[in-house]
Amino acid sequence: MAHTFHISKSDRHLKWDNSLPPVATVPSGSTLTFDLLDGGHNQFSATSTTADLLTFNFSLADPAHGPIYVDTAEPGDVLRIEFVDLKPARYGWTAIFPSAVGFGLLHDEFPTPKLQIWDLETHRDDGYTVFKPGIHIPINPFLGVVGLAREQPGEWSTIPPYDTGGNIDCKHITVGSVLFLPVKVRGALFSCGDGHAAQGDGEVCGTAIETPMHVTVRLTVEKGMRWVESPHYVTSHEHTANLVKGGGKGEYAALGIDADLREASRKALRGLINWLVAEKGLTREESYILCSVAADLKIVEAVDMPHFGVACSLPLSVFVGAPYI
């Protein structure tokens, strides 16, 4: 018989630590619902302004909700996570934090902070949110943080990703997708958080469309999948169809070429921002945010050394009206 459990907003932690007591113990195959804070610990609301960035407490960032002890999970096993439902809140936010914080791929080039508040409710049934009149961003919810406890003792930050998952920020793991994570401790100790309504591959300004979220997942222990030593995933048919539909107008991309992969990425992003400013009339800050929620960084060349090639591409389908088309 299927079991269902609910995890509340209060059941959260700010470090991965395999000594944390589980908030619930569930059988393999159980379905769980979560009410998640956003990746900023709900420090912003639908009425927040750019001034609120100056009081943001980074020590509260990326809370993970859990941990969940899954019966029969042992080191060497794999936890299968099925994403049954992901429902964003009525609002979301994207931030360019002050450059002194050092957050974002071009943080040193954007000294002025900016907070963008998104209305995720008005056009929810239409599947998009409005960046500004004439620019629509498709809503494709996913979780930034999905992970298991690490084998190593002690506290580990929830901000970076690990082989056991964590802050993987993979926009392709949407409803209907399946994520496989290697189990390193008994019970697996699963946690999740950091809901996103939309994001480009790279999350280049440091934030996606961050939002609280109601989540339903199914957790199943898999035996004998020894090849899973890091996060593996299978995308849903719906996600693949959305990518095809969203790319129906093609993409505009800028290439970055450099011997350093990060610098090549910065050059590509800078090139796309320059195009958005010159051809679409957006401000640099608007362009940076748009790239973070809708543009994709792609390694297009990694063998012709000494240089890497990185593309930063934006689907032209986000431009839906004047003066952008």
Side-chain angles (χ1 to χ4, degrees), residues 114-135:
K114 180 177 176 61
L115 181 67
Q116 170 92 22
I117 299 296
W118 303 83
D119 173 8
L120 301 181
E121 187 62 31
T122 300
H123 299 287
R124 183 187 296 268
D125 292 342
D126 302 311
Y128 68 86
T129 181
V130 177
F131 178 57
K132 57 189 305 184
I135 303 178

Side-chain angles (χ1 to χ4, degrees), residues 11-235:
D11 296 321
R12 63 186 187 271
H13 54 95
L14 291 167
K15 302 290 183 182
W16 298 105
D17 185 343
N18 60 29
S19 70
L20 287 174
V23 300
T25 298
V26 305
S28 175
S30 295
T31 298
L32 296 90
T33 59
F34 291 79
D35 282 316
L36 304 179
L37 301 179
D38 66 35
H41 217 108
N42 284 19
Q43 293 182 70
F44 301 133
S45 70
T47 59
S48 293
T49 66
T50 295
D52 295 313
L53 290 173
L54 302 179
T55 59
F56 185 82
N57 184 349
F58 275 92
S59 70
L60 298 177
D62 285 332
H65 295 71
I68 309 300
Y69 186 103
V70 185
D71 282 337
T72 74
E74 299 287 344
D77 294 340
V78 167
L79 191 67
R80 172 190 178 103
I81 302 110
E82 299 171 69
F83 294 86
V84 179
D85 190 44
L86 300 166
K87 184 178 180 181
R90 297 174 63 91
Y91 74 96
W93 58 271
T94 305
I96 300 174
F97 284 99
S99 57
V101 174
F103 199 54
L105 192 58
L106 295 179
H107 65 86
D108 52 322
E109 300 179 17
F110 284 84
T112 304
K114 180 177 176 61
L115 181 67
Q116 170 92 22
I117 299 296
W118 303 83
D119 173 8
L120 301 181
E121 187 62 31
T122 300
H123 299 287
R124 183 187 296 268
D125 292 342
D126 302 311
Y128 68 86
T129 181
V130 177
F131 178 57
K132 57 189 305 184
I135 303 178
H136 294 176
I137 304 301
I139 295 177
N140 292 302
F142 70 99
L143 297 181
V145 172
V146 188
L148 309 181
R150 306 192 72 205
E151 180 180 14
Q152 298 86 346
E155 294 185 341
W156 299 84
S157 172
T158 56
I159 292 178
Y162 304 97
D163 285 343
T164 48
N167 196 18
I168 54 178
D169 280 333
C170 181
K171 74 170 189 177
H172 306 285
I173 307 175
T174 56
V175 171
S177 299
V178 181
L179 175 65
F180 301 91
L181 296 176
V183 175
K184 297 297 183 181
V185 300
R186 179 171 292 179
L189 298 180
F190 169 87
S191 300
C192 63
D194 190 24
H196 293 167
Q199 181 197 286
D201 278 333
E203 196 182 22
V204 291
C205 85
T207 53
I209 299 183
E210 312 286 337
T211 180
M213 193 171 287
H214 182 77
V215 173
T216 305
V217 297
R218 185 176 300 110
L219 306 180
T220 305
V221 177
E222 300 283 358
K223 305 287 185 179
M225 296 178 64
R226 294 290 181 177
W227 62 88
V228 177
E229 298 178 346
S230 64
H232 290 208
Y233 65 88
V234 178
T235 60

Side-chain angles (χ1 to χ4, degrees), residues 286-309:
E286 288 174 335
S287 300
Y288 196 21
I289 286 176
L290 180 59
C291 288
S292 198
V293 304
D296 294 328
L297 284 176
K298 309 170 185 178
I299 299 175
V300 297
E301 191 283 304
V303 295
D304 298 327
M305 293 296 99
H307 293 149
F308 293 92

